Amino acid sequence: MVKFNFNKVNGTKVTVIFENIEYNSKLLQYTKERELFSGKLKEVYANLPFEGEKEILLGFGKKEDLLEDDIRKVFFKLGKELIRFKEQEVYLQLVELENLGIKSLVNAVVEGLLHATYKFDKYKSNRKDYPEITINLITEEDSSLLESCVKEAQDVISGIFFARDLVNERAEYLYPESLANIAKNELTQLGVEVEVYDEKQCEELGLKGLLAVGRASTRKPRFIVMKYINDKTNDEVIGLVGKGVTYDTGGYSIKQTANSMDIMHCDMGGAGTVLGTMKLIATRKVKTNVIGIIGACENMISGSSYKPGDIIPTLSGKTVEVLNTDAEGRLTLADAIYYGASKLNPECIIDVATLTGACIQALGSRVIGAVSNNDEVFAKIKESADFMGEYLWRFPVYEEHKESVKGKVGDLLNVTAPGTGGAITAGVFLEHFVENTPWVHLDIAGPSYSNSAWGTNPEGASGTPVKTLYNFVKKYNKK
């Protein structure tokens, strides 16, 4: 728990130090002489005597090079140090930056400090909550205007933490039915209409791709539709579709265990992102219309499993030739995307999925890969990702990619041959179900979940790209 005040001088002093500026500070002179601290970016030196004046030096690097995301990371580091040293109250003077407004500065400060408090320890028998930390920000700006910045940053982090908790939750406890219950419980109270379709109702809807993937599990699929309608003056609706495979064995194309099947509770990262975004926009009461769609299932192994070589029909009427049962996500997304495109008439569709290992091979584990059929909508997503400090890169699509997904027995193949650009062809596959709706596919296989901490993200789920989607939705109709 972190509490923020303005213009209250209390607690331990935190001093921002730029690397290339001279200061009249004995403590700084001491740390420089002993090469303990010089103001480099993300350096922290804590002078915390038992008695006497306490002060923490915070390195901001070179003033002309400083970016908003740098500030976020600096205050993340400060937050971790405050927790480590059990410092429960600090104050600091907000600095003026030519390339960054005060609102953006406050946002980065708050986000960084709050990120430092995340942990997923609900199953630890000796877990302890962090003590409350009070941050006093000193500024000559109108603090009443900045308080709204603090509140928005707090809400954004809350949405990210909600997504992280969902993705970190183990499949023993998070499965299609429980995911649907969470969506209903969390979102209905915020004014979101949540419709949940059980297995029989999914059959009536014709969601044959989703049902094929989920039929081997004793925990049957759920189809979740979340409607946030808060702009009666506008008929436009944004569609968000999240992959909701709550556990993935790979099916008969079975995964190895280590660093693969053992972390496949995270294969609903797209669903977690959509739920976190829906909760955030509803909490913020954003004036917009958004419909979120999740096809939730488990990809398990039994005598009733779908098999390599099967021909699976989909809601669209197109058939899919299954070459690999571990390429299950695109089957569930095919139905969810087509349902959104054909029945809800959205202005655009953004699908989010932990879809391919090929995306990680192509871009590394920190970058979202994108495929899109619309330059304008993609540009808005890219601008939002850049603004919010999340990494996004668009893949090129050529005729060879489009040819490679065509089936020999069915209409489409669910995987393509090695060397054909698996992250691209997965997106090309999904495009067959968008019905010409402007669409962007976001493959978050890399940044959604990690075995090590990076940036302001902890080990495990990151909540990527809740911030990007929130900013996209908020600004979509304003340009």
Side-chain angles (χ1 to χ4, degrees):
M1 175 68 177
V2 182
K3 179 181 177 182
F4 294 90
N5 297 319
F6 284 97
N7 298 325
K8 181 181 177 183
V9 180
N10 201 31
T12 298
K13 181 181 181 181
V14 176
T15 304
V16 170
I17 301 294
F18 288 99
E19 188 178 1
N20 52 349
I21 294 178
E22 292 296 323
Y23 297 88
N24 183 20
S25 167
K26 291 183 178 180
L27 179 60
L28 179 59
Q29 182 180 352
Y30 169 84
T31 60
K32 282 186 173 181
E33 287 174 353
R34 286 158 179 78
E35 297 183 346
L36 301 172
F37 176 94
S38 63
K40 288 185 172 63
L41 187 65
K42 294 190 290 185
E43 279 188 334
V44 179
Y45 182 83
N47 183 48
L48 304 172
F50 173 68
E51 293 181 344
E53 184 178 352
K54 297 180 179 181
E55 184 175 4
I56 298 174
L57 302 181
L58 198 59
F60 261 39
K62 295 179 180 178
K63 195 170 187 177
E64 63 272 16
D65 295 339
L66 195 64
L67 302 174
E68 183 175 348
D69 200 45
D70 293 330
I71 295 170
R72 197 174 286 117
K73 292 173 182 176
V74 167
F75 280 89
F76 173 80
K77 180 76 175 293
L78 174 63
K80 288 296 187 184
E81 294 295 279
L82 295 179
I83 291 169
R84 182 164 75 96
F85 290 117
K86 297 181 172 60
E87 286 297 309
Q88 296 180 322
E89 186 167 15
V90 299
Y91 72 94
L92 74 148
Q93 177 74 46
L94 292 174
V95 295
E96 292 186 10
L97 298 170
E98 293 181 4
N99 62 334
L100 198 65
I102 185 65
K103 289 184 178 180
S104 296
L105 174 61
V106 169
N107 179 277
V109 169
V110 174
E111 281 194 10
L113 287 163
L114 292 176
H115 270 301
T117 67
Y118 182 81
K119 56 181 177 177
F120 186 79
D121 64 350
K122 63 188 290 186
Y123 298 115
K124 292 282 190 178
S125 59
N126 62 344
R127 66 184 181 276
K128 294 180 180 179
D129 292 334
Y130 292 139
E132 182 178 88
I133 298 173
T134 300
I135 309 295
N136 300 307
L137 303 175
I138 313 302
T139 178
E140 295 178 1
E141 301 287 338
D142 185 348
S143 61
S144 63
L145 296 177
L146 299 181
E147 284 169 359
S148 64
C149 298
V150 171
K151 183 63 171 68
E152 182 175 27
Q154 289 172 324
D155 289 341
V156 167
I157 296 299
S158 180
I160 292 171
F161 283 10
F162 178 55
R164 285 181 183 175
D165 284 347
L166 289 172
V167 180
N168 281 326
E169 186 58 272
R170 270 36 186 181
E172 181 180 0
Y173 306 105
L174 189 75
Y175 43 90
E177 184 180 3
S178 63
L179 182 65
N181 290 339
I182 290 170
K184 214 169 183 64
N185 293 338
E186 292 288 337
L187 299 181
T188 301
Q189 61 184 327
L190 296 173
V192 180
E193 180 187 343
V194 181
E195 301 168 355
V196 178
Y197 299 87
D198 62 19
E199 183 185 22
K200 183 177 179 181
Q201 292 168 319
C202 288
E203 291 173 355
E204 293 170 354
L205 287 175
L207 304 174
K208 295 178 181 179
L210 173 65
L211 290 166
V213 175
R215 72 189 183 202
S217 176
T218 57
R219 290 166 161 172
K220 297 304 179 183
R222 293 293 185 271
F223 191 64
I224 308 164
V225 180
M226 301 155 284
K227 298 179 179 178
Y228 174 81
I229 307 300
N230 195 36
D231 187 359
K232 305 294 186 183
T233 66
N234 192 345
D235 293 333
E236 292 183 350
V237 173
I238 297 170
L240 302 179
V241 178
K243 175 184 170 183
V245 179
T246 58
Y247 191 72
D248 182 17
T249 65
Y252 277 116
S253 306
I254 193 167
K255 294 178 180 291
Q256 67 178 31
T257 298
N259 199 32
S260 182
M261 199 193 301
D262 59 338
I263 60 170
M264 278 300 108
H265 58 276
C266 77
D267 210 18
M268 42 65 66
T273 295
V274 169
L275 281 165
T277 304
M278 295 297 293
K279 184 174 182 179
L280 175 54
I281 63 175
T283 299
R284 296 294 304 168
K285 296 181 171 57
V286 178
K287 190 176 181 181
T288 189
N289 303 316
V290 182
I291 297 179
I293 303 171
I294 296 168
C297 66
E298 291 185 329
N299 185 21
M300 303 295 280
I301 301 171
S302 78
S304 62
S305 298
Y306 82 118
K307 304 170 290 296
D310 283 355
I311 306 296
I312 303 298
T314 64
L315 177 62
S316 70
K318 293 184 176 73
T319 58
V320 179
E321 188 175 342
V322 176
L323 301 185
N324 188 315
T325 60
D326 195 23
E328 83 298 329
R330 64 202 72 184
L331 287 170
T332 69
L333 287 168
D335 280 349
I337 290 171
Y338 183 80
Y339 179 91
S342 63
K343 299 185 183 299
L344 302 177
N345 194 31
E347 178 74 10
C348 65
I349 292 176
I350 313 298
D351 82 74
V352 192
T354 50
L355 204 60
T356 68
C359 190
I360 300 173
Q361 292 175 336
L363 299 178
S365 59
R366 305 292 181 253
V367 183
I368 303 165
V371 175
S372 179
N373 66 354
N374 188 281
D375 293 341
E376 182 180 352
V377 176
F378 175 77
K380 290 182 177 182
I381 278 281
K382 181 67 167 69
E383 181 181 339
S384 292
D386 291 346
F387 183 78
M388 302 306 278
E390 295 183 316
Y391 306 145
L392 173 62
W393 189 259
R394 185 181 184 179
F395 288 117
V397 176
Y398 297 102
E399 195 59 37
E400 286 81 359
H401 295 119
K402 296 177 181 179
E403 287 294 320
S404 69
V405 302
K406 293 181 179 178
K408 295 180 180 179
V409 181
D411 295 318
L412 299 167
L413 301 174
N414 82 322
V415 291
T416 55
T420 54
I424 299 172
T425 57
V428 170
F429 175 96
L430 295 178
E431 188 178 355
H432 283 268
F433 302 91
V434 303
E435 294 291 279
N436 296 315
T437 304
W439 154 84
V440 179
H441 159 63
L442 301 178
D443 191 332
I444 60 170
S448 177
Y449 193 93
S450 175
N451 286 328
S452 59
W454 57 284
T456 57
N457 298 300
E459 178 182 346
S462 69
T464 303
V466 169
K467 288 203 304 180
T468 292
L469 293 181
Y470 167 66
N471 192 60
F472 170 78
V473 165
K474 188 172 69 167
K475 295 180 177 179
Y476 184 81
N477 292 318
K478 295 182 179 181
K479 295 185 177 181

